Amino acid sequence: MHGHRPRTPEADRSRRWFMNKALLAGGVAAVATMTGCSSDASDTATASSTSGAPNGAPSGGPGGGMPTGAMPSGGPGGGGNGMGPGQSEVKYADFKGVTTDGKIADGLYSIHATDVSTDGIVKAAQAFLDGLTAKERKSCTFDVDDNEWLAWSNVDGYQRKGVRMGDITAKKRDLGYALLGAALSADGLTQTRNIMKLNAFLGDYSGGNRDTLTEGAYFFTFMGTPSTTKPWGFQYEGHHVAINFFVLGDQVVMTPTFMGSEPTSATYKGEKITLFKTETKAGLTLLRSLTAAQRAKVISSTKKSGDDMKAGAGQDNAKLAYQGLVAKDFTSAQKQHLLDLVRVYVGNMNDGHAEVRMTEVEDHLDATYFYWMGETKDSSAFYYRVHSPVVLIEYDAQSPLAYGTKSSGGMGGPNGTPTQQHIHTIIRTPNGGDYGVDLLKLHLENDH
């Protein structure tokens, strides 16, 4: 499998890490001192747009999850919150996925027919690529096993590759949204678009003039060539959104998928947008269905920090032990609440493949753990985790970084007070399933 590899992988990775380290180190402080500029944010490409540093100034604060001047250990990504791949970036060939102890549990995934067609996704992807210029297409296509899969971040100023939505024509953007519409459910597409809109709202709120805080600052990359028989996939990524979508025949893997927002509720261009109400309510519903004795095992603390996510960007090989209470002894009603919670996240993918994924989750339901940190009121900022051999979900209400900080004169970061106005979520497929890595290995072993 040979495709487009800009520069050499090693040189590119080193260059990107040093640029992002400088960008992130300076960007958080820059956000803390934002002033209300009158200029509007633009989706027009600039010479610095792909570096995430409009007008030569570093950006990267919103979504970063760090206090001013702080850097996580090991460069960007060290905190698990989603700062992005950095010094310890995992190479595709070294990928294991999230495990409990560094060892992959075998025999969890297989190549099989799902009877859910991927023809519409393949056609939509090909239509989008066919609509691009040769230069645009070359900039966004990679090998199916390229390290670019793992090089995503939820930070606004992270240096990204691929085709930027704000740099292409409206017709081409529509083809891109058509691909998302084929891959995602109606709810998943709406949520993705609303995250993009609130990203633009944050740009306006912060004074404008930052092309990373717009609806156009989202990128498509493609790994492999769209096919109904051969493995391929795409990535859609920007501030607070990272969708990794792998396809092999009629099998689909849509993890890791990161979705977040700051703020989570605001009015943008006359439209009132509120995000993550369903995720919040489903978590509370499950928790409140538990007995007092069960809750005592699930809730580790009534307090949480401003950033508790463990398996964000740059944490592809994270070791994460099971915590909380296992569902083996849940009542049937409690198990249904757990499945309802998982379905909220799985349901962002198109309906047919979501059902396939839910069957996989249900097969391991008795080995699924539920864990919680924080208070339990409707308005509380809390963290919860659903974790089994085949699914990992994290919900993290975090402290503010850019929204609602003007009166206090700064950001919250990990040491700040968390709020439901800044929420990060992620869903992964542990034990080598993310990015379809395990399926691709099986495919190559059996068919090549």
Side-chain angles (χ1 to χ4, degrees):
M1 293 171 289
H2 299 284
H4 172 65
R5 290 180 184 267
R7 308 183 192 91
T8 66
E10 294 302 325
D12 183 63
R13 185 176 300 106
S14 175
R15 175 180 178 272
R16 179 163 50 199
W17 180 72
F18 283 112
M19 290 187 68
N20 286 326
K21 182 173 182 179
L23 176 149
L24 292 165
V28 177
V31 176
T33 56
M34 279 182 182
T35 57
C37 303
S38 59
S39 301
D40 292 331
S42 172
D43 280 356
T44 303
T46 66
S48 59
S49 66
T50 55
S51 70
N55 301 323
S59 70
M66 297 192 305
T68 303
M71 281 295 293
S73 60
N81 174 45
M83 292 305 293
Q87 189 176 34
S88 59
E89 179 180 340
V90 176
K91 297 180 182 179
Y92 190 95
D94 299 325
F95 174 83
K96 288 185 176 180
V98 176
T99 61
T100 58
D101 58 3
K103 299 178 181 178
I104 299 174
D106 294 327
L108 293 173
Y109 313 112
S110 65
I111 296 176
H112 59 273
T114 67
D115 296 324
V116 181
S117 176
T118 56
D119 289 359
I121 301 169
V122 171
K123 290 177 181 177
Q126 195 60 60
F128 176 74
L129 287 168
D130 287 346
L132 300 178
T133 66
K135 182 177 180 181
E136 289 168 341
R137 183 165 181 162
K138 184 178 180 181
S139 74
C140 71
T141 53
F142 301 84
D143 288 351
V144 73
D145 59 351
D146 198 278
N147 292 329
E148 188 63 23
W149 271 120
L150 284 68
W152 61 269
S153 172
N154 59 273
V155 174
D156 67 315
Y158 183 72
Q159 183 197 10
R160 295 177 167 90
K161 295 180 182 177
V163 172
R164 183 179 182 273
M165 291 290 270
D167 294 347
I168 57 180
T169 65
K171 183 178 179 179
K172 294 176 183 179
R173 280 197 298 274
D174 286 344
L175 290 172
Y177 290 133
L179 169 55
L180 291 178
L184 306 179
S185 65
D187 288 344
L189 180 60
T190 298
Q191 175 133 307
T192 301
R193 291 290 289 114
N194 282 342
I195 291 171
M196 296 168 64
K197 291 174 183 178
L198 289 188
N199 185 52
F201 169 89
L202 183 61
D204 294 342
Y205 171 87
S206 302
N209 260 354
R210 301 186 70 206
D211 64 358
T212 59
L213 297 181
T214 66
E215 288 188 68
Y218 293 83
F219 295 72
F220 270 110
T221 53
F222 292 81
M223 288 62 162
T225 302
S227 169
T228 57
T229 57
K230 297 180 180 179
W232 69 282
F234 73 88
Q235 187 178 77
Y236 186 71
E237 185 206 358
H239 188 207
H240 280 138
V241 171
I243 298 169
N244 291 282
F245 201 96
F246 174 84
V247 181
L248 176 59
D250 63 5
Q251 287 182 269
V252 162
V253 177
M254 199 178 95
T255 62
T257 288
F258 180 104
M259 291 188 176
S261 190
E262 183 189 19
T264 58
S265 183
T267 299
Y268 175 65
K269 294 185 176 179
E271 179 185 2
K272 180 62 181 293
I273 298 171
T274 300
L275 295 170
F276 303 112
K277 287 183 67 175
T278 306
E279 291 84 349
T280 300
K281 183 178 180 180
L284 286 167
T285 297
L286 172 57
L287 185 78
R288 291 169 181 173
S289 74
L290 304 178
T291 65
Q294 288 174 317
R295 286 198 298 272
K297 294 180 180 179
V298 167
I299 303 174
S300 68
S301 171
T302 57
K303 297 185 181 297
K304 73 175 300 293
S305 75
D307 167 13
D308 291 297
M309 183 168 278
K310 302 300 182 186
Q315 300 298 314
D316 285 301
N317 281 0
K319 296 178 185 178
L320 187 60
Y322 293 127
Q323 290 179 274
L325 184 63
V326 69
K328 181 180 179 181
D329 298 323
F330 280 11
T331 66
S332 59
Q334 291 168 343
K335 288 182 179 180
Q336 187 58 54
H337 289 312
L338 176 56
L339 286 171
D340 290 343
L341 172 56
V342 174
R343 188 179 292 276
V344 171
Y345 294 85
V346 172
N348 284 322
M349 68 195 305
N350 67 72
D351 296 342
H353 288 105
E355 291 304 318
V356 174
R357 176 68 162 138
M358 286 303 301
T359 298
E360 183 179 70
V361 170
E362 193 164 2
D363 286 344
H364 296 270
L365 190 61
D366 283 351
T368 304
Y369 285 75
F370 183 52
Y371 174 72
W372 188 284
M373 286 190 292
E375 297 183 355
T376 61
K377 299 177 182 177
D378 288 355
S379 60
S380 297
F382 49 78
Y383 167 97
Y384 66 72
R385 183 191 311 155
V386 176
H387 191 186
S388 86
V390 298
V391 69
L392 171 65
I393 292 168
E394 291 186 279
Y395 166 108
D396 193 21
Q398 303 194 338
S399 55
L401 291 179
Y403 181 74
T405 60
K406 289 183 177 180
S407 60
S408 61
M411 299 174 293
N415 298 320
T417 301
T419 168
Q420 284 191 16
Q421 276 286 43
H422 187 191
I423 292 174
H424 286 186
T425 70
I426 193 166
I427 179 169
R428 284 184 176 270
T429 307
N431 294 297
D434 280 339
Y435 312 105
V437 172
D438 192 78
L439 291 184
L440 180 59
K441 288 180 179 178
L442 291 172
H443 170 75
L444 295 177
E445 288 172 1
N446 294 332
D447 296 346
H448 292 274

